[in-house]
Amino acid sequence: MDDGISSFWGPVTSTTECCEENYVYSSFIAEFFNTISNFPGILLALFGLINALRQRFEKRFSFLHMSNMALAIGNMLYHATLQRVHQHSDETPMFWEMLLYLYILYSPDWHYKSTMPTFIFFYGAAFGLLHHLVGFDIVFKLHYMLLCLLCIPRMYKYYIHTGDFYAKRLAKWYLATLLLGSLCWFVDHEFCKKFSSWGFNPQGHAFWHVFMGFNSYFANTFLMFCRSHQLGWDPKVAYFMGVLPCVKIHKPKTQ
């Protein structure tokens, strides 16, 4: 990690950096591996978006997959430039994505259907604007953690009320990728100085990006299954090319 290094994008202005050494492979990409490791997440989100559009899922899932893509692209900009303005292009989509998850998880039990999306939209827009103008740091992290914690009990409820073996396995893969990604992030954050002294970097933060790309995809696919079941669309977990899980539905003819 090189503090204050100057290259194509100028001096580093972001408030946080990772363990990867800056501008090693290109003068246009500050953290090479942390940048390109977002591609799996973009491709997975694109596949999920195509599946949601092709089978005419509710628009909320199209927005969710597009949110995952926006987050990955924003993260690429941040790691490629290490500029404060692009750090916001990573952090703000993180916040918007969690608001979408909250909406999808809790909206089936919300009696006033128009109030929840309206509140979430204006709340997300206001926070994004303030974050851009003020540049929250600790407040942003605590806020994001709170949103994540609010999702946990609902995800657990969906899991225990799901009887399908393959859908439950999606939830287990979601948890496994979250734990593995978190471990990679922790190792990269806590042992960076040791890696620097060894002259070897296992690129833990890049692996965090890869695992979280799969994590988001598994979460989205599991929620698509649960929502389809609520709507009576007879969902099944299929495997694209025998590898990648996806949801196939059969809507009643009246729908």
Side-chain angles (χ1 to χ4, degrees):
M1 181 169 59
D2 298 323
D3 296 328
I5 191 170
S6 177
S7 190
F8 177 81
W9 301 104
V12 172
T13 58
S14 60
T15 58
T16 58
E17 283 189 75
C18 301
C19 195
E20 185 176 359
E21 189 176 353
N22 297 342
Y23 297 108
V24 173
Y25 299 96
S26 171
S27 61
F28 298 98
I29 302 176
E31 296 177 346
F32 182 79
F33 290 107
N34 288 340
T35 300
I36 66 170
S37 56
N38 283 284
F39 279 114
I42 294 174
L43 294 175
L44 288 167
L46 179 60
F47 177 80
L49 175 62
I50 293 172
N51 187 40
L53 291 173
R54 185 171 60 84
Q55 298 190 88
R56 292 186 293 121
F57 276 87
E58 292 173 298
K59 289 184 176 64
R60 65 188 68 181
F61 291 106
S62 297
F63 283 115
L64 183 58
H65 288 297
M66 287 189 289
S67 174
N68 293 151
M69 293 176 65
L71 172 57
I73 293 171
N75 193 271
M76 289 180 70
L77 288 172
Y78 162 48
H79 286 291
T81 66
L82 292 180
Q83 299 296 297
R84 178 62 173 164
V85 63
H86 293 304
Q87 185 176 345
H88 292 161
S89 69
D90 171 40
E91 293 174 344
T92 301
M94 287 172 62
F95 176 75
W96 288 345
E97 181 184 57
M98 293 313 302
L99 289 178
L100 274 170
Y101 278 121
L102 282 175
Y103 172 68
I104 291 172
L105 286 166
Y106 286 95
S107 62
D109 294 335
W110 192 263
H111 298 293
Y112 305 99
K113 293 184 179 180
S114 62
T115 57
M116 189 176 188
T118 302
F119 171 77
I120 285 176
F121 175 81
F122 284 106
Y123 185 67
F127 185 87
L129 179 61
L130 285 173
H131 186 42
H132 177 73
L133 295 175
V134 179
F136 298 128
D137 188 14
I138 299 299
V139 172
F140 166 79
K141 292 175 182 177
L142 293 176
H143 203 171
Y144 183 77
M145 289 175 59
L146 175 62
L147 294 179
C148 292
L149 290 173
L150 289 174
C151 289
I152 292 175
R154 195 66 174 186
M155 284 289 285
Y156 179 70
K157 180 181 178 181
Y158 276 39
Y159 175 80
I160 62 176
H161 284 88
T162 299
D164 187 272
F165 169 80
Y166 296 102
K168 280 185 174 288
R169 188 159 68 179
L170 283 173
K172 292 176 181 177
W173 285 345
Y174 159 78
L175 181 60
T177 50
L178 176 62
L179 293 175
L180 287 171
S182 299
L183 178 62
C184 291
W185 181 91
F186 176 80
V187 170
D188 182 84
H189 185 267
E190 294 298 322
F191 298 98
C192 181
K193 291 183 179 179
K194 286 190 177 181
F195 295 147
S196 298
S197 64
W198 295 344
F200 169 73
N201 187 348
Q203 303 299 339
H205 197 84
F207 279 107
W208 152 261
H209 290 161
V210 174
F211 279 123
M212 293 311 294
F214 278 96
N215 174 263
S216 297
Y217 179 78
F218 292 143
N220 297 356
T221 307
F222 176 71
L223 291 176
M224 289 169 73
F225 180 94
C226 294
R227 182 58 177 164
S228 301
H229 182 73
Q230 291 172 349
L231 296 172
W233 289 351
D234 190 26
K236 304 292 182 185
V237 177
Y239 289 85
F240 178 69
M241 299 183 67
V243 178
L244 187 63
C246 57
V247 177
K248 300 294 183 181
I249 59 176
H250 179 72
K251 292 184 180 181
K253 291 184 179 179
T254 55
Q255 293 181 279

